[in-house]
Amino acid sequence: MQKTIGEIYTSNSIIIEQTQINKYAEASGDDNPIHLDQDFAQKSNFGGIVAHGMLVLAQISELLTSIFGINWINNGYLDVRFRRPVFVKDSIQSIIEITSIESINDKNEINCKVSCVKNNDESVIVGTAKIYMIYKELKGD
Amino acid sequence: MKVIFLNKKIQFNLNINSDQVNKYYKAVDHYEKNSTEKESLPFLYLLSISIKTILDRFNFPSGTIHMAQTLSNLAVQDITESSYVANAEIIQENQRTNATVLKVAFNIEKKGFGTIVKGSTTLMIPE
């Protein structure tokens, strides 16, 4: 599928539930009480349970996978900052915008702005991504 | 007295099994993938378990905050029972009024294959 500068892709909004955080904690081994223990989290600077940053980042990666497929998995670069915590019951949505496409040897370098917003307007993750695709894949030939 | 972390290095093994990877996919997955993508080892999973090990091995406290992340995926890997070696080094340390900010560079290698993932993780340790 052809990619063009300025294209914007968005994921479906999802509500972060404690059950998903629990599943992620089990899979990743990250059992920090800030993610799992309501009493501990309430006494922390956050004032409540927060989702793992990497769980939220995974939503951006999932959207990149849905757009760029194996090219993202095989040869992608990501540079992000975690700006705000995501709490249980927050709604999050990932957004990808293609900002440039450059030909480098036999590949095209696709640069993107990436972000994840919560509750429609607050950025929780912002950054950039880079994906290398061979020319025929970019053009959809 | 503050602990100085700068230039400290660790090396650790990451042992992958398909059950654990499938648990990860169930926790994060919201998109239909084609068969190639489904059979690929998610590099964010490798990163997640690496960060957990880094936190544990350096004895960072539970209030440590993940501030920033860079990541390069260099080669897709299949989901098989396999072992990887990770190297991590603290390359920057900045003392702030109420916190220490650390940048940890890392790479993950597969024996006989070379580096498959590399990047850096920025952490803030509150006082």
Side-chain angles (χ1 to χ4, degrees):
Chain A
M1 185 179 163
Q2 188 166 353
K3 305 288 187 293
T4 55
I5 296 168
E7 273 185 300
I8 295 175
Y9 302 85
T10 57
S11 69
N12 295 327
S13 294
I14 62 163
I15 307 288
I16 293 292
E17 302 285 0
Q18 185 64 56
T19 51
Q20 187 178 12
I21 294 173
N22 294 347
K23 282 183 189 174
Y24 184 84
E26 187 182 352
S28 68
D30 185 347
D31 54 3
N32 188 325
I34 196 72
H35 306 302
L36 302 171
D37 184 331
Q38 182 64 31
D39 291 338
F40 179 93
Q42 269 183 335
K43 291 171 191 160
S44 73
N45 290 337
F46 295 114
I49 285 183
V50 296
H52 303 75
M54 291 296 293
L55 169 59
V56 182
L57 182 58
Q59 308 310 311
I60 291 177
S61 181
E62 289 292 304
L63 180 57
L64 286 164
T65 303
S66 76
I67 301 165
F68 299 108
I70 197 70
N71 294 286
W72 164 245
I73 298 169
N74 195 35
N75 203 349
Y77 172 79
L78 194 61
D79 183 352
V80 295
R81 296 189 69 80
F82 298 92
R83 298 183 63 166
R84 290 184 179 86
V86 172
F87 298 101
V88 174
K89 298 296 181 188
D90 276 346
S91 167
I92 63 168
Q93 182 179 38
S94 298
I95 303 166
I96 311 291
E97 178 183 357
I98 296 177
T99 55
S100 69
I101 301 173
E102 295 175 36
S103 292
I104 299 174
N105 299 326
D106 60 337
K107 291 181 179 176
N108 282 280
E109 178 188 288
I110 301 180
N111 289 287
C112 304
K113 275 200 300 193
V114 304
S115 63
C116 184
V117 297
K118 72 174 183 179
N119 308 327
N120 296 323
D121 61 352
E122 292 180 275
S123 295
V124 294
I125 296 178
V126 294
T128 58
K130 195 174 288 187
I131 301 96
Y132 294 95
M133 299 179 82
I134 59 172
Y135 187 66
K136 68 176 184 179
E137 288 174 341
L138 184 76
K139 299 292 283 184
D141 293 342
Chain B
M1 185 177 156
K2 287 183 189 296
V3 176
I4 303 298
F5 293 101
L6 187 62
N7 297 328
K8 287 192 175 173
K9 298 177 186 178
I10 55 172
Q11 186 176 74
F12 49 93
N13 292 320
L14 299 168
N15 298 311
I16 303 303
N17 71 73
S18 54
D19 287 347
Q20 206 65 14
V21 174
N22 288 330
K23 280 184 185 175
Y24 175 86
Y25 266 135
K26 284 177 183 167
V28 304
D29 199 5
H30 295 279
Y31 294 94
E32 289 297 318
K33 292 181 170 62
N34 66 38
S35 59
T36 306
E37 291 156 4
K38 280 179 182 167
E39 291 161 10
S40 304
L41 180 63
F43 49 86
L44 282 188
Y45 172 69
L46 278 178
L47 176 61
S48 296
I49 59 176
S50 296
I51 292 173
K52 165 65 175 164
T53 306
I54 289 168
L55 292 170
D56 288 348
R57 292 279 296 274
F58 283 114
N59 287 318
F60 294 151
S62 56
T64 299
I65 296 167
H66 193 177
M67 294 179 68
Q69 184 67 52
T70 69
L71 185 69
S72 292
N73 322 313
L74 302 174
V76 66
Q77 299 290 306
D78 294 336
I79 302 174
T80 52
E81 311 296 313
S82 53
S83 183
Y84 298 85
V85 177
N87 297 284
E89 178 180 3
I90 297 175
I91 59 169
Q92 282 181 21
E93 177 167 357
N94 296 309
Q95 300 292 341
R96 296 186 181 176
T97 308
N98 295 311
T100 301
V101 177
L102 303 171
K103 188 170 187 177
V104 186
F106 67 89
N107 68 64
I108 300 172
E109 301 171 356
K110 187 171 188 181
K111 195 173 179 182
F113 197 91
T115 300
I116 57 162
V117 175
K118 65 178 182 179
S120 66
T121 301
T122 305
L123 301 168
M124 184 169 74
I125 305 172
E127 298 283 302

